[in-house]
Amino acid sequence: MPQPDLTLTPAGPALAPRYRDRPAALPRSPYLRLFTHPGTRAFTAGNLIARLPMGMFGVSAVIMIAAAYGSYALAGAVTATGLAVGSVTGPLIARLVDRYGQARVAVPATAYAVLGHLVLLLCVHEKAPAWALFLTTAVTATTPNTGGMSRARWAYLFRDDPDALHTANAFEQAADELCYMLGPVLAAVLCSALFPEAGTLTAGVLFLGGVLIFAAQRSTEPPVAPRTTAGSPLRAPGMAPLLAVFLATGAVFGSMEVVTLAYVDGPVAGPVLALQAAGSCAAGLLYGRARRTARLRTCLAAMTVLMAMPLLAASTGFLPALAAGLLLAGMATAPTMVTGMGLVQRLTPAAQLNEGMTLAVTALLAGIATGSATGGWAADHAPFASFGFLIPVTAAALALTLCTATGVGRRTRD
């Protein structure tokens, strides 16, 4: 029988502590350390389930409407209407989330939005008049900003640990890229392999189920802050110039997508374009391991340089070169967005954090819409094949110029 280990204390001999009784060390990976906090795994799982449909609804609606009405123009106009109305209602929904809490607002708002998608599905199935489609898609604009609510939870949990918050923001950006990379693919497969409405049905079930799981995690939900009279976060110093930078940055993403699809013009266009999201996802995870963040101006400068890679590659006419160029260009996306969202969190009052981040997303969406339209015009009127790739480079340079001229983030030490 082994003898117990003894140690001398002022009170006499006593049993020595055993190493196996000591608490286990924290994981070395900063990402694994995020999920040692109670409740983070559950709310992250629910949020990822809810976020995946964000990349499915648009593609599903386009396929569903085009199959029933034989018009991609109608399909694009209907989805654009939903996006436009959402840019108005999104900040209002986020303001309610800040005022009354995530669970109390997100669940009914999601249920109402899913109901709108189902009514749209029925209208399409019955080939209702076009005006009914536009009216119905406006109902879906109550969709809450699930990514913003998740970032708000991390900001609350790690409000005193900026390094951990930086890692959490990088994880969220990588999750965004992954969901927007997988969502359209899943929607296209469902709509083509089953029936045109399958994508919308699946997205609705995932969206509502994910939000219910997310909202049930009350231990990590930020407490409702006292009602503020500060007005819109737009009034926060530095916020308006930052949103202008987000607008120009969104134009980079929107134009690159349309220009690439037009240039490749074939079944491999989707996989080639997905390389940009893959590069962004990888760069975001690496950036999250860094101990400090770069300046937003530095990230935008890198984006401007890297966005020239697809232009140079496309001028060769060699498709693998374009694929490599898009992969490199994507590596500037996540660090820029992580740094920009970190600035939003620092500039926005804590009581208005959801609204502030939703304003940033709204600016991005407006930029994406503008970039898509500009990229489409460039693709139709291109004097040479790679002409359209000038648009993303120009938009990135504009974002850099706005950031430099306005001094965005200078006082907050981004």
Side-chain angles (χ1 to χ4, degrees):
M1 179 178 178
Q3 297 297 318
D5 296 327
L6 299 177
T7 184
L8 293 177
T9 68
L15 290 175
R18 298 181 179 180
Y19 285 104
R20 65 173 179 268
D21 295 331
R22 297 179 182 178
L26 291 174
R28 296 184 63 182
S29 169
Y31 291 103
L32 293 179
R33 286 199 295 270
L34 293 178
F35 299 103
T36 59
H37 196 288
T40 53
R41 296 181 184 180
F43 91 71
T44 299
N47 193 269
L48 289 177
I49 295 172
R51 207 182 308 186
L52 181 62
M54 296 301 100
M56 297 178 63
F57 280 124
V59 173
S60 299
V62 168
I63 295 175
M64 179 174 65
I65 295 172
Y69 292 82
S71 172
Y72 279 98
L74 175 62
V78 170
T79 55
T81 299
L83 183 64
V85 178
S87 66
V88 176
T89 59
L92 299 178
I93 297 295
R95 182 177 297 180
L96 293 175
V97 170
D98 285 325
R99 182 172 298 178
Y100 299 107
Q102 293 183 352
R104 289 184 62 185
V105 175
V107 172
T110 299
Y112 195 73
V114 170
L115 178 62
H117 284 290
L118 294 179
V119 174
L120 176 63
L121 183 152
L122 291 175
C123 288
V124 172
H125 185 73
E126 297 298 327
K127 293 187 178 180
W131 62 263
L133 307 186
F134 288 100
L135 182 63
T136 304
T137 195
V139 178
T140 66
T142 61
T143 300
N145 181 8
T146 51
M149 291 191 296
S150 184
R151 286 179 172 90
R153 293 200 179 206
W154 291 119
Y156 166 66
L157 293 175
F158 298 119
R159 55 194 178 277
D160 298 322
D161 190 345
D163 290 339
L165 181 57
H166 167 66
T167 301
N169 285 333
F171 169 79
E172 289 295 324
Q173 186 60 38
D176 275 343
E177 300 292 348
L178 184 64
C179 289
Y180 278 99
M181 185 168 54
L182 297 179
V185 176
L186 178 59
V189 169
L190 289 171
C191 292
S192 58
L194 299 179
F195 47 91
E197 297 86 359
T200 299
L201 282 174
T202 304
V205 171
L206 290 174
F207 186 33
L208 182 58
V211 169
L212 288 174
I213 295 173
F214 175 80
Q217 315 310 314
R218 304 302 292 269
S219 63
T220 54
E221 181 178 350
V224 177
R227 185 170 299 184
T228 178
T229 58
S232 172
L234 280 171
R235 299 181 181 179
M239 183 60 112
L242 180 57
L243 293 182
V245 172
F246 271 101
L247 181 67
T249 305
V252 176
F253 307 148
S255 59
M256 182 65 80
E257 179 178 355
V258 174
V259 167
T260 302
L261 292 174
Y263 180 88
V264 179
D265 191 23
V268 298
V272 169
L273 188 60
L275 287 173
Q276 184 181 359
S280 179
C281 183
L285 293 175
L286 290 174
Y287 189 59
R289 297 180 65 90
R291 293 182 179 273
R292 56 179 298 178
T293 61
R295 287 182 175 273
L296 181 59
R297 184 174 57 189
T298 303
C299 293
L300 290 171
M303 173 179 281
T304 304
V305 173
L306 291 178
M307 284 298 159
M309 296 298 104
L311 172 63
L312 297 175
S315 63
T316 67
F318 189 47
L319 189 57
L322 176 60
L326 288 170
L327 182 67
L328 289 174
M331 291 182 178
T333 301
T336 301
M337 294 308 304
V338 170
T339 304
M341 282 298 182
L343 274 175
V344 172
Q345 292 173 351
R346 293 195 287 275
L347 291 174
T348 307
Q352 299 173 298
L353 189 54
N354 285 286
E355 184 179 356
M357 287 189 289
T358 301
L359 284 171
V361 172
T362 299
L364 276 173
L365 292 177
I368 290 172
T370 303
S372 297
T374 307
W377 177 89
D380 287 340
H381 299 83
F384 50 91
S386 60
F387 175 79
F389 289 98
L390 286 170
I391 307 299
V393 180
T394 304
L398 176 60
L400 174 61
T401 302
L402 289 171
C403 181
T404 303
T406 59
V408 170
R410 189 176 298 162
R411 296 180 181 178
T412 56
R413 298 179 184 178
D414 60 304

